[in-house]
Amino acid sequence: MPEHRLPAGAAGVLAAALVLGTVAPAAAAPSTAVPPQVPTAAHQDDDGLPYPRQTPLPEPEVDDADASIDRGAMPFHEIAPTINDLMAGSDLVSAEVVGSSTEGRDIYLVTVTAPETAAESAQQDRWRDMVKYDAAAAADDAALAAGYKVPIWFNGNIHGNEWEGTDATLTYIEDLLADVAAEDPAATELVEDHRLYFTVTNNPDGRVAGNRATALNLDPNRDFVTNTTPETSIIRDLAADLQPAFFVDLHGYTRILQVEPTGPPQGENYEHDLLMPHAYAAALQIEQDVVAADIEGNPLTDDGGIRIPYRDTPSGWDGWPPIFTAQYVAFQGAIAYTVELPLGRTSDTEESARRTTVNTEVGVEVIDSTADYVSDNAEELLGNQIEIFRRGAAGEPLRTIPPFPDADDYPGPDQWAEEWDEADAATGTTFPRAYVIPRGEEQVSETDAARLVDHLLAHGVEVTAATERFTLEGVTYPAGSYVVDMHQPLRGLANVLLADGSDISDRVPSMYDISAWSLGRLWGATVEAVGSTQDPAPDVATTPVTEAAGTASVPRGRGFLRLDVDGVAEVAALNDLLDRGVAVTAVEGGDVVLRPQNHEVAAAVAAEHGVTFTKSNGGALKGGRELTELQVGYTSSASYAGEDLLTLLELGFDDPVLVTEENLADGSVDLDDVDVLWLGDSLDLDDADVAVQLADYVADGKGFVGTAAAGTSLAEDLDVLTADVVSGPFRANGIVAVDTVDGGLLDGTARDAAFVYRPSWFTGLGAEVTVEQTYADDPLIAGHWLPNRDGS
């Protein structure tokens, strides 16, 4: 790499530095913003209720425009009536609304199990909690082993235009009920010994619209670290509550049925010795059963089988990041699959219907085969789930499996061992003894820290707060600092959210998707790892927390007030103050000062955003700059339109204006009304009138902030910036260390790490360019980044 470089996203910052300073600090760090959690219906509120639970589901109005119809799949408006009919005909079927989609459509959980009294249901819930929270006792509980209904969970249609998971689910339930009615012993045993859960359609908005994404234009199957969408928040909450031993996420389309487990690299926070043997054996059984079913029109591999990534995909499949549903749910001790049904989309209605029929039949076979496998192996699967939680609570080191292990050294089926080659070998993950999220002076952002703590709690991670001051590894932390003790059942999930991650560049040649995601690095809070997993417990008096401590505060009196703009909440609060017409002055270091008459509005803003105001004085205004409310325009690619808009909204920019070449050309957007441009995608200046409008915009002293080539190309086109963009490898991504220039535009607001995807940097900088941030030496902290062919 060249010696002098800037991280992706810095091109627009360079351009912003050329204008009159109207952007900072309100345009700080948009790429790290995460919209707030969307409350979901809590299934756990129903704990202890008897089964069946058969309150009829509300039935939506008929929608003849539902895209499912052209696919030949069940439209959304028919799903609730179908489930209601199933409940009316059988006491084995229960249904609940467990939340709502972005556009307000119901998301259903269907449970199929033999009837339970209230006492029996409560006992199942106690056993479920014992499995996770008292695993050592659960392992020795004979009554639990004999009576616990090992849960199996099938999730359908998380990608809206991958329809048939829903249709397969409902068809399977109908078939199962028919088998039980016919007194089939295997079917009867299944419903008596298990709870089968079905989230019938996880993305009803996408189903109706025929879109992969949710109505927020976000891919929900990339959202399990952040839970930006309500659709994934629901699954996150259900994962903790249902605690399945086996989970299947039904997708499409890969031309040939594809069933996990995944290929390398394997995620580094899982107990692979307990998961992989049955994961692979179950996939082989599915292959055997699907091939034997001889479904007409179902394509097979050249060898007459299905595709199993662990066996058939050399590297880079989706087992590494926990952003996917299956990889996330696995942290609950589950064998977890993504299943890709074979036949894809077509504009031919008749052919679509044929493909839907084939995919539905294949999906039914996958569900049936999985249920059979769990039924046949329930004792071992439950035992392995208990052992995963026990190891976490005990803080035992993660087992590292060597290449080509002796299968006799590991429990369960042994077919997996011959496939576990050097590329699969675990990286030797080590857990810290604890993570500390400080309060006070050691914390760079109290509001970002509080948000992180609440997010950990939403994921079921146990967090405590220190009741007194303490010192660990030479650092003294104040009372109230948060401690995440890594001796806990979900230690794998805690570590995957908080740890830096690993540099996996030398493990595989390319990656399917993102390779690093650390909230400990990227969410703005200071997070410190202390000790090693086998160390004694930290000598810290703590108490459990159920939510982060409040961070809202306004000093008494009527003096000047200061707001340190050091987190996402503070940026939103600043925008709120400007929106309310408050006179705000930006002072040195990126902070802002309010005059004494604004105490009342400051109190309201503090309560709304959880921010802290401190005392200041009139002298702080010297040399300051009055801020005004900004109207932000933004450009965005079709792939990231949801992310750009949501980021701006989360930062408190009201009604951002989407700017395109088309709406500039036709006059429906006037740049005179825009104060600053966020460039998430390039603007094409081939239209002379558009070029003039943008040139006038810059000539008026307005600025833009943009990502890599988008910002640089516009700056070059407008002759306001000289810089050459150097692009890194197309798939490279990860967390990088960055250095921020002291006293510069980003000083006081930037963090020491950033996330890059398709990284870029800049050379050939003109004399007019002010550098605000650079990659640090050897910048990659975690992720996958191989050199370009030219060695850069």
Side-chain angles (χ1 to χ4, degrees):
M1 293 181 187
E3 180 180 352
H4 199 69
R5 54 201 181 269
L6 291 109
V13 174
L14 290 174
L18 300 175
V19 303
L20 300 179
T22 59
V23 176
S31 64
T32 61
V34 178
Q37 296 299 315
V38 180
T40 61
H43 173 73
Q44 54 264 35
D45 289 348
D46 292 337
D47 284 359
L49 291 181
Y51 280 100
R53 304 169 184 176
Q54 293 190 323
T55 301
L57 299 174
E59 299 184 2
E61 293 182 4
V62 172
D63 182 358
D64 292 332
D66 189 320
S68 313
I69 297 170
D70 285 342
R71 176 63 182 183
M74 180 177 288
F76 176 73
H77 58 257
E78 291 184 7
I79 295 174
T82 299
I83 295 171
N84 286 338
D85 287 345
L86 291 170
M87 286 195 291
S90 174
D91 63 358
L92 301 177
V93 181
S94 300
E96 304 161 69
V97 174
V98 289
S100 298
S101 67
T102 301
E103 293 183 335
R105 293 182 175 90
D106 289 339
I107 293 178
Y108 313 119
L109 174 69
V110 174
T111 306
V112 179
T113 194
E116 301 169 9
T117 65
E120 289 169 336
S121 183
Q123 179 63 72
Q124 290 294 320
D125 295 336
R126 286 193 294 272
W127 278 332
R128 176 205 60 200
D129 293 343
M130 180 185 287
V131 165
K132 183 183 292 183
Y133 298 112
D134 195 2
D140 294 329
D141 191 314
L144 184 154
Y148 183 51
K149 291 184 170 182
V150 175
I152 316 169
W153 181 15
F154 299 93
N155 188 53
N157 198 205
I158 190 170
H159 284 149
N161 61 356
E162 296 168 12
W163 287 273
E164 291 89 352
T166 298
D167 299 69
T169 287
L170 294 172
T171 302
Y172 171 78
I173 295 172
E174 290 175 354
D175 291 350
L176 178 61
L177 296 178
D179 288 343
V180 173
E183 299 183 352
D184 178 275
T188 302
E189 181 180 351
L190 181 66
V191 298
E192 288 179 349
D193 293 350
H194 300 273
R195 286 181 181 173
L196 286 80
Y197 297 112
F198 305 87
T199 30
V200 180
T201 171
N202 190 188
N203 181 6
D205 298 344
R207 184 178 188 85
V208 170
N211 292 333
R212 174 185 177 91
T214 71
L216 291 174
N217 200 26
L218 297 178
D219 186 333
N221 200 44
R222 304 293 185 274
D223 190 37
F224 279 92
V225 168
T226 53
N227 301 121
T228 305
T229 66
E231 291 83 355
T232 60
S233 296
I234 290 165
I235 298 303
R236 176 202 65 201
D237 296 346
L238 285 173
D241 185 45
L242 304 183
Q243 202 172 291
F246 211 114
F247 171 82
V248 174
D249 201 32
L250 292 158
H251 286 250
Y253 306 102
T254 48
R255 296 187 300 279
I256 294 170
L257 174 65
Q258 181 167 285
V259 175
E260 292 186 0
T262 66
Q266 306 292 346
E268 62 182 337
N269 290 285
Y270 300 107
E271 308 283 349
H272 284 299
D273 62 310
L274 299 174
L275 295 173
M276 186 56 70
H278 283 288
Y280 188 45
L284 294 176
Q285 179 167 317
I286 291 171
E287 179 175 54
Q288 175 183 312
D289 292 344
V290 168
V291 171
D294 194 22
I295 298 167
E296 184 178 353
N298 177 40
L300 301 175
T301 67
D302 291 340
D303 295 330
I306 67 171
R307 186 181 295 117
I308 301 173
Y310 176 63
R311 178 190 66 193
D312 302 326
T313 303
S315 64
W317 189 240
D318 57 358
W320 180 256
I323 60 175
F324 308 110
T325 323
Q327 277 57 53
Y328 177 80
V329 175
F331 285 112
Q332 296 292 341
I335 308 293
Y337 282 175
T338 298
V339 169
E340 303 278 358
L341 298 173
L343 300 178
R345 290 170 286 274
T346 175
S347 58
D348 185 308
T349 303
E350 185 176 341
E351 173 62 11
S352 285
R354 184 193 73 83
R355 295 184 183 189
T356 293
T357 298
V358 173
N359 284 345
T360 299
E361 290 185 35
V362 172
V364 169
E365 196 63 49
V366 169
I367 296 171
D368 190 42
S369 183
T370 302
D372 286 347
Y373 187 89
V374 177
S375 183
D376 292 342
N377 296 276
E379 182 179 354
E380 284 192 13
L381 293 172
L382 175 59
N384 288 355
Q385 183 180 53
I386 291 170
E387 176 64 5
I388 288 170
F389 293 139
R390 188 202 64 78
R391 289 180 186 179
E396 294 182 4
L398 200 66
R399 269 66 159 175
T400 298
I401 305 174
F404 304 112
D406 184 341
D408 292 339
D409 294 336
Y410 299 91
D414 61 6
Q415 301 100 318
W416 66 280
E418 66 182 32
E419 304 286 344
W420 190 274
D421 61 19
E422 184 66 44
D424 291 322
T427 58
T429 304
T430 57
F431 298 113
R433 187 56 179 81
Y435 286 98
V436 178
I437 304 173
R439 301 288 305 276
E441 293 183 359
E442 294 294 327
Q443 180 53 254
V444 67
S445 171
E446 292 277 7
T447 52
D448 285 345
R451 167 180 236 169
L452 177 58
V453 166
D454 283 338
H455 195 67
L456 293 171
L457 293 167
H459 282 269
V461 174
E462 296 172 8
V463 183
T464 63
T467 57
E468 57 190 35
R469 201 170 106 170
F470 64 97
T471 300
L472 289 176
E473 297 185 344
V475 179
T476 299
Y477 301 99
S481 293
Y482 301 103
V483 179
V484 180
D485 190 331
M486 289 296 285
H487 284 208
Q488 61 172 292
L490 296 180
R491 59 100 176 259
L493 181 54
N495 205 56
V496 86
L497 295 175
L498 293 174
D500 284 351
S502 297
D503 179 354
I504 59 170
S505 303
D506 61 352
R507 294 189 58 194
V508 289
S510 65
M511 282 293 289
Y512 174 77
D513 216 290
I514 69 166
S515 305
W517 49 83
S518 170
L519 303 187
R521 279 281 187 174
L522 298 178
W523 267 26
T526 302
V527 179
E528 304 288 352
V530 295
S532 180
T533 189
Q534 290 186 294
D535 291 346
D539 186 16
V540 183
T542 64
T543 185
V545 298
T546 56
E547 63 179 348
T551 53
S553 177
V554 178
R556 294 180 179 178
R558 304 301 295 176
F560 287 83
L561 297 173
R562 188 183 189 105
L563 176 66
D564 295 342
V565 185
D566 56 7
V568 172
E570 284 79 10
V571 176
L574 170 57
N575 274 318
D576 194 355
L577 289 167
L578 294 171
D579 189 45
R580 294 170 187 248
V582 175
V584 179
T585 303
V587 297
E588 187 177 356
D591 303 332
V592 298
V593 173
L594 279 63
R595 288 165 176 76
Q597 64 267 31
N598 293 308
H599 267 253
E600 187 174 336
V601 69
V605 169
E608 175 71 19
H609 300 281
V611 299
T612 296
F613 289 89
T614 57
K615 292 181 179 180
S616 187
N617 57 64
L621 300 178
K622 220 178 252 191
R625 176 170 50 88
E626 291 297 312
L627 298 179
T628 57
E629 188 177 6
L630 296 178
Q631 176 62 65
V632 177
Y634 73 99
T635 66
S636 190
S637 68
S639 300
Y640 299 102
E643 296 177 24
D644 290 313
L645 175 59
L646 286 172
T647 295
L648 292 168
L649 292 172
E650 174 64 7
L651 289 169
F653 295 105
D654 293 336
D655 302 318
V657 175
L658 179 63
V659 177
T660 67
E661 296 92 344
E662 291 76 17
N663 62 30
L664 289 176
D666 66 21
S668 57
V669 167
D670 187 346
L671 289 179
D672 286 345
D673 300 327
V674 172
D675 299 308
V676 62
L677 269 175
W678 163 254
L679 298 174
D681 196 21
S682 298
L683 276 172
D684 186 351
L685 301 192
D686 287 346
D687 186 299
D689 181 57
V690 171
V692 168
Q693 290 183 61
L694 285 162
D696 290 345
Y697 170 87
V698 171
D700 287 342
K702 297 178 179 180
F704 53 87
V705 181
T707 58
T712 304
S713 63
L714 183 58
E716 288 179 329
D717 288 343
L718 297 176
D719 198 26
V720 297
L721 175 70
T722 303
D724 297 324
V725 180
V726 181
S727 297
F730 184 76
R731 286 287 192 183
N733 67 90
I735 300 169
V736 295
V738 295
D739 293 328
T740 302
V741 174
D742 291 339
L745 188 66
L746 302 178
D747 189 23
T749 62
R751 304 295 188 247
D752 61 0
F755 179 82
V756 294
Y757 200 107
R758 300 171 191 164
S760 299
W761 55 94
F762 304 88
T763 60
L765 304 179
E768 81 283 6
V769 174
T770 299
V771 175
E772 298 290 350
Q773 195 175 77
T774 66
Y775 286 122
D777 293 333
D778 191 19
L780 188 64
I781 295 170
H784 189 274
W785 187 342
L786 292 176
N788 280 321
R789 291 180 179 176
D790 63 6
S792 59

